Amino acid sequence: MPTSGDKLGQYTLHELINSGGQSEIWLATDDAGRSFAVRLMLNDSMFAFTEKGRFNTGSETLKACQDQHYIIGYVEHGKLDGHRALVMEYVEGANLKLLLTAGDPVLTENIAQVLIDFASALEVVHDRGFMHLDVKPENVLLSRNGSLRLIDFDLAQPIPNPPRKQDKLSGTPAYMAPEQLLRQPVDHRADIWAFGVSAYELLTMRKPFPGENADEVLRRQLDRKEFIPPRDLNADLPMDLQRIVLRCLEREPDRRYPITSVLVHELKQSLYVA
């Protein structure tokens, strides 16, 4: 794999920002000195069908969901000097999970706007005809000035009508809706569930249905005897905000918000943000 100082096309790599199982993300500059985030696929072998498929699908979906306010900016994707790459906007900040763990004031002092912008990012994706299917605090970046960007579209799919069963179970079990874990038909309302889990976690610092594996998470989702309403953990929450989070976490998709724009509207009303 390339290292710091290497040049791929017009981009010079400077600093490794993040490394996961399938890709690395580098801070890079182009020939004009502008900063970008360059994501490089780690396994680009002949037989890496799943990895290449996800990488390409994620890149194409990101390109289709462009928005100046809530979605990470797309620049280009393809091969750069033989390396499969996605070039994106560079955001100087951290993901919501890291900020929550650190008790960072950029999150805690702007939590109302963060929740609204988070839901607004999903609204953009859904309005473009896609479901993200990997919604979680780790996949939301927040800059030092409070600007939010949704990232990582590798699991995204077109919204089916009617809902459709997924070919395989992919994602993070703690944020997956019951219908996903039960291998039942899924649509964009699985993202609304995942937003509810994320919002609960951001507001209480714990997950609503904790578990070590998918089976344990599902058991807690279906048997809610151990479920704690968010206001029991954070008494400062407005009753309206608890109602919104609980509606996102309804067991049956038909009882959740039908479309994300309604969720965004109610969040704005509840949190008094115009």
Side-chain angles (χ1 to χ4, degrees), residues 22 50-59 154-155 168 170:
Q22 298 183 8
T50 300
E51 293 89 342
K52 287 191 284 189
R54 285 182 176 178
F55 192 96
N56 292 334
T57 295
S59 300
D154 280 9
L155 300 183
K168 64 166 55 174
S170 300

Side-chain angles (χ1 to χ4, degrees), residues 15 17 27 35 37 72 89-95 99 106 141-147 149:
E15 179 185 347
I17 301 172
L27 169 62
S35 295
I72 195 74
E89 166 192 18
Y90 172 65
V91 174
E92 189 172 353
N95 69 56
L99 295 174
V106 73
L141 298 180
L142 197 64
S143 72
R144 299 311 303 173
N145 67 1
S147 180
R149 295 290 189 275

Side-chain angles (χ1 to χ4, degrees), residues 140-206:
V140 180
L141 298 180
L142 197 64
S143 72
R144 299 311 303 173
N145 67 1
S147 180
L148 181 145
R149 295 290 189 275
L150 180 65
I151 64 170
D152 198 344
F153 287 74
D154 280 9
L155 300 183
Q157 297 178 20
I159 297 174
N161 186 16
R164 181 174 59 83
K165 291 183 180 180
Q166 296 176 278
D167 294 333
K168 64 166 55 174
L169 195 63
S170 300
T172 306
Y175 301 93
M176 296 174 77
E179 62 268 23
Q180 290 175 283
L181 295 174
L182 288 167
R183 308 297 181 93
Q184 294 174 346
V186 170
D187 64 10
H188 64 286
R189 291 169 296 182
D191 282 348
I192 292 176
W193 169 280
F195 171 83
V197 174
S198 300
Y200 184 107
E201 185 176 7
L202 293 171
L203 293 167
T204 69
M205 298 193 68
R206 60 168 287 172

Side-chain angles (χ1 to χ4, degrees), residues 18-250:
N18 193 15
S19 180
Q22 298 183 8
S23 63
E24 294 180 343
I25 300 179
W26 286 82
L27 169 62
T29 53
D30 67 1
D31 291 340
R34 297 173 298 183
S35 295
F36 297 93
V38 177
R39 183 184 180 205
L40 301 175
M41 185 172 165
L42 292 176
N43 181 11
D44 198 13
S45 69
M46 182 186 305
F47 299 106
F49 303 118
T50 300
E51 293 89 342
K52 287 191 284 189
R54 285 182 176 178
F55 192 96
N56 292 334
T57 295
S59 300
E60 292 289 347
T61 306
L62 174 61
K63 182 179 180 180
C65 291
Q66 280 304 279
D67 171 89
Q68 292 183 347
H69 303 291
Y70 309 116
I71 309 295
I72 195 74
Y74 168 91
V75 179
E76 63 174 308
H77 76 282
K79 287 294 187 77
L80 293 176
D81 290 341
H83 297 279
R84 196 173 300 271
L86 167 64
V87 183
M88 300 171 287
E89 166 192 18
Y90 172 65
V91 174
E92 189 172 353
N95 69 56
L96 296 186
K97 182 69 171 183
L98 290 174
L99 295 174
L100 179 66
T101 302
D104 196 303
V106 73
L107 172 62
T108 57
E109 294 176 8
N110 298 286
I111 186 62
Q113 193 64 57
V114 166
L115 290 175
I116 291 169
D117 291 351
F118 190 169
S120 297
L122 288 181
E123 183 181 16
V124 171
V125 176
H126 295 169
D127 284 352
R128 303 293 169 85
F130 297 93
M131 48 187 183
H132 187 280
L133 295 182
D134 201 12
V135 174
K136 55 185 178 180
E138 290 95 324
N139 283 338
V140 180
L141 298 180
L142 197 64
S143 72
R144 299 311 303 173
N145 67 1
S147 180
L148 181 145
R149 295 290 189 275
L150 180 65
I151 64 170
D152 198 344
F153 287 74
D154 280 9
L155 300 183
Q157 297 178 20
I159 297 174
N161 186 16
R164 181 174 59 83
K165 291 183 180 180
Q166 296 176 278
D167 294 333
K168 64 166 55 174
L169 195 63
S170 300
T172 306
Y175 301 93
M176 296 174 77
E179 62 268 23
Q180 290 175 283
L181 295 174
L182 288 167
R183 308 297 181 93
Q184 294 174 346
V186 170
D187 64 10
H188 64 286
R189 291 169 296 182
D191 282 348
I192 292 176
W193 169 280
F195 171 83
V197 174
S198 300
Y200 184 107
E201 185 176 7
L202 293 171
L203 293 167
T204 69
M205 298 193 68
R206 60 168 287 172
K207 294 181 177 67
F209 307 104
E212 295 297 322
N213 52 54
D215 289 340
E216 189 175 346
V217 171
L218 179 61
R219 180 187 64 78
R220 290 176 181 267
Q221 290 174 351
L222 299 180
D223 179 8
R224 298 200 176 202
K225 293 177 182 177
E226 301 172 42
F227 176 74
I228 303 173
R231 271 177 55 86
D232 289 4
L233 298 169
N234 183 352
D236 292 333
L237 298 187
M239 283 294 297
D240 257 5
L241 182 55
Q242 171 166 280
R243 176 187 58 79
I244 291 169
V245 172
L246 293 181
R247 184 173 179 186
C248 292
L249 295 176
E250 285 284 356

